[in-house]
């Protein structure tokens, strides 16, 4: 690495791009605050009734602002952290691609499109975690994260397909209005188990927590963006998005409450024992993810207010 303090003007371009996205989403705040739901849709695979559709509502906009806003800060930090690095351009491309994949995930209104973006976050995070592939630890951590979240994604795909078939549509905006039908269907339990398997592996809930502390072997900007701010919240987002359709049953309440509480308590205890700052950050992140999952297990307005506040 050279003695350069930044990567010049080219180093600021990814941050400027992220800021433009943040400003664009921020401009939608007044409309969304008034209760409007903005939607765009294009035919993707018409023969299978699959559309590339996007929706901007309160939940999606909150996550979009979180992703793009933190993206600005992390990309600015990366410009200094990797100043003069020979692979800076590749790193910035991976980080920007991850940000776009996360935005696609939280804005997608079609289950199949959501899964495609879900997998794009898995691939880009693998490339980022393994950016320091010269070391055995970096390669091992990247592969471990890929295998754990990838296996969960296979379960998620099966769950999403069953959900779409049960609801009679793959559009999330329509599925949310058919919660009573879905919860009374015999396929509800398999749908719930498969979807939660995908969400729990992505959000590193116990017993799938081990990959997140190990992934801290990645460069610090990657740890800050993927493992503390955005990627691990993809599972939390999925549970929050499907909350109107799947919540309210005993199995939903007890599963999220128990897994969330176990993760929060377990991670809190381990965080107190850490001497490495990044490991402490990893376990406190796990604690936060467990607390968010626990809150999503409840159905009261107070719990949802607490969820949004803690998020």
């Amino acid at each position: 690495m050279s003695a350069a303090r930044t990567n010049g003007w080219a180093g600021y371009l990814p941050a400027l791009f992220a800021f433009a996205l943040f400003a664009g989403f921020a401009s939608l705040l007044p409309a969304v605050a008034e209760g409007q739901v903005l939607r765009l849709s294009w035919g993707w695979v018409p023969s299978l009734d699959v559309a590339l559709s996007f929706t901007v509502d309160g939940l999606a906009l909150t996550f979009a602002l979180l992703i793009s806003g933190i993206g600005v800060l992390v990309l600015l930090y990366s410009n200094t952290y990797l100043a003069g690095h020979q692979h800076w351009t590749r790193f910035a491309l991976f980080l920007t691609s991850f940000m776009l994949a996360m935005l696609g995930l939280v804005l997608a209104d079609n289950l199949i499109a959501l899964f495609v973006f879900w997998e794009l976050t898995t691939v880009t995070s693998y490339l980022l975690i393994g950016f320091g592939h010269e070391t055995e630890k970096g390669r091992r951590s990247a592969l471990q994260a890929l295998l754990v979240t990838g296996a969960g994604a296979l379960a998620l795909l099966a769950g999403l397909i069953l959900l779409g078939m049960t609801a009679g549509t793959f559009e999330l905006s329509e599925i949310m209005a058919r919660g009573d039908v879905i919860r009374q269907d015999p396929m509800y339990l398999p749908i719930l188990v498969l979807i939660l398997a995908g969400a729990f592996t992505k959000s590193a809930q116990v017993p799938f927590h081990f990959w997140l502390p190990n992934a801290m072997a990645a460069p610090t900007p990657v740890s800050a963006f993927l493992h503390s701010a955005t990627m691990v919240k993809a599972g939390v987002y999925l549970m929050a998005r499907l909350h109107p359709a799947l919540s309210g049953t005993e199995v939903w309440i007890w599963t999220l409450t128990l897994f969330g509480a176990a993760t929060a308590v377990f991670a809190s205890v381990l965080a107190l024992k850490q001497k490495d700052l990044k490991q402490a950050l990893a376990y406190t992140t796990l604690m936060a993810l467990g607390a968010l999952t626990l809150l999503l297990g409840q159905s009261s307005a107070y719990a949802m207010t607490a969820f949004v506040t803690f998020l």
Side-chain angles (χ1 to χ4, degrees):
M1 186 177 294
S2 72
R5 297 181 62 185
T6 68
N7 292 290
W9 285 107
Y12 291 103
L13 291 178
L16 288 173
F17 175 67
F19 180 77
L21 290 173
F22 178 81
F25 288 122
S27 69
L28 302 178
L29 276 170
V32 174
E34 293 177 356
Q36 296 184 34
V37 177
L38 311 176
R39 192 171 188 274
L40 293 173
S41 181
W42 296 273
W44 189 12
V45 188
S47 60
L48 298 178
D49 196 26
V50 177
L52 190 61
S53 52
F54 300 94
T55 296
V56 181
D57 58 7
L59 180 64
L61 186 58
T62 299
F63 274 85
L65 289 170
L66 177 72
I67 294 163
S68 56
I70 294 177
V72 174
L73 300 176
V74 170
L75 285 165
L76 283 173
Y77 172 54
S78 302
N79 190 28
T80 301
Y81 186 85
L82 293 176
H85 196 287
Q86 60 177 338
H87 297 308
W88 153 253
T89 303
R90 185 175 69 184
F91 181 82
L93 176 63
F94 290 166
L95 207 58
T96 304
S97 298
F98 168 79
M99 179 180 66
L100 292 174
M102 274 299 300
L103 287 172
L105 191 160
V106 301
L107 296 173
D109 190 46
N110 183 274
L111 292 178
I112 303 303
L114 183 149
F115 177 77
V116 170
F117 286 114
W118 183 282
E119 284 296 79
L120 286 175
T121 65
T122 300
V123 173
T124 51
S125 64
Y126 167 74
L127 295 173
L128 285 164
I129 297 171
F131 184 72
H133 57 82
E134 298 85 0
T135 65
E136 181 182 352
K137 184 178 181 181
R139 295 192 298 270
R140 184 176 64 248
S141 298
L143 185 59
Q144 184 182 70
L146 178 67
L147 291 176
V148 173
T149 57
L154 293 177
L156 175 64
L157 177 60
L160 293 179
I161 292 175
L162 289 176
L163 177 61
M165 294 174 63
T166 301
T169 177
F170 282 87
E171 297 299 304
L172 277 164
S173 53
E174 298 177 22
I175 290 173
M176 295 307 98
R178 304 180 187 182
D180 292 337
V181 175
I182 296 169
R183 286 187 290 269
Q184 294 171 8
D185 194 276
M187 294 304 296
Y188 171 75
L189 185 57
I191 289 171
L192 185 62
V193 171
L194 291 168
I195 288 178
L196 289 184
F200 284 178
T201 53
K202 197 78 161 182
S203 59
Q205 300 295 299
V206 171
F208 310 109
H209 64 282
F210 55 88
W211 71 264
L212 179 56
N214 292 337
M216 288 295 179
T220 301
V222 176
S223 301
F225 198 23
L226 273 67
H227 311 128
S228 298
T230 55
M231 175 191 166
V232 288
K233 286 191 176 68
V236 172
Y237 168 80
L238 182 65
M239 290 184 282
R241 174 57 71 192
L242 294 177
H243 189 275
L246 301 180
S247 68
T249 63
E250 290 291 321
V251 64
W252 170 279
I253 294 171
W254 283 107
T255 302
L256 268 67
T257 299
L258 292 176
F259 275 88
T263 302
V265 174
F266 175 75
S268 297
V269 172
L270 289 184
L272 294 173
K273 299 170 60 178
Q274 303 305 314
K275 296 181 180 180
D276 180 83
L277 183 59
K278 288 180 72 174
Q279 288 298 304
L281 177 64
Y283 283 105
T284 52
T285 299
L286 283 175
M287 179 280 297
L289 294 169
L292 289 169
T293 300
L294 186 153
L295 291 170
L296 282 172
Q298 319 311 310
S299 299
S300 69
Y302 292 111
M304 293 303 99
T305 302
F307 166 78
V308 174
T309 304
F310 195 57
L311 177 68

